[in-house]
């Protein structure tokens, strides 16, 4: 029983250590992925707004 508890504690320490190391890498990857999605969304929004403004300008010119 004591051996099982010691093994469990040791495994938990190892997992904590590995998680701490890989956690930083995972966070970095997630941040890069998030930044890419934000950039894409911003570009799409900018293109839609530019198209909308040009359409409004065209309609205004057509009315004149």
């Amino acid at each position: 029983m004591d051996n099982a508890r010691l093994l469990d504690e040791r495994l938990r320490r190892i997992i904590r250590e590995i998680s701490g190391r890989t956690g930083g890498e995972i966070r970095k990857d997630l941040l890069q992925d998030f930044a890419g999605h934000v950039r894409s969304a911003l570009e799409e929004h900018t293109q839609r707004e530019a198209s909308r403004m040009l359409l409004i300008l065209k309609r205004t010119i057509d009315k004149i």
Side-chain angles (χ1 to χ4, degrees):
M1 191 68 167
D2 288 332
N3 287 338
R5 188 173 58 244
L6 291 173
L7 180 60
D8 184 56
E9 289 174 12
R10 187 170 180 202
L11 285 173
R12 287 178 191 267
R13 274 183 274 154
I14 290 170
I15 290 170
R16 247 192 322 263
E17 185 178 330
I18 291 171
S19 294
R21 290 181 187 170
T22 58
E25 293 171 11
I26 291 170
R27 282 189 293 273
K28 185 174 123 181
D29 289 343
L30 286 174
L31 284 174
Q32 288 174 346
D33 189 45
F34 177 71
H37 286 294
V38 168
R39 256 192 309 276
S40 295
L42 186 58
E43 288 173 5
E44 288 177 28
H45 178 72
T46 301
Q47 289 175 355
R48 278 195 312 270
E49 285 300 308
S51 295
R52 188 177 72 83
M53 292 300 293
L54 288 172
L55 183 61
I56 291 170
L57 179 61
K58 181 186 179 304
R59 288 179 183 164
T60 303
I61 291 171
D62 288 345
K63 286 182 182 179
I64 295 176

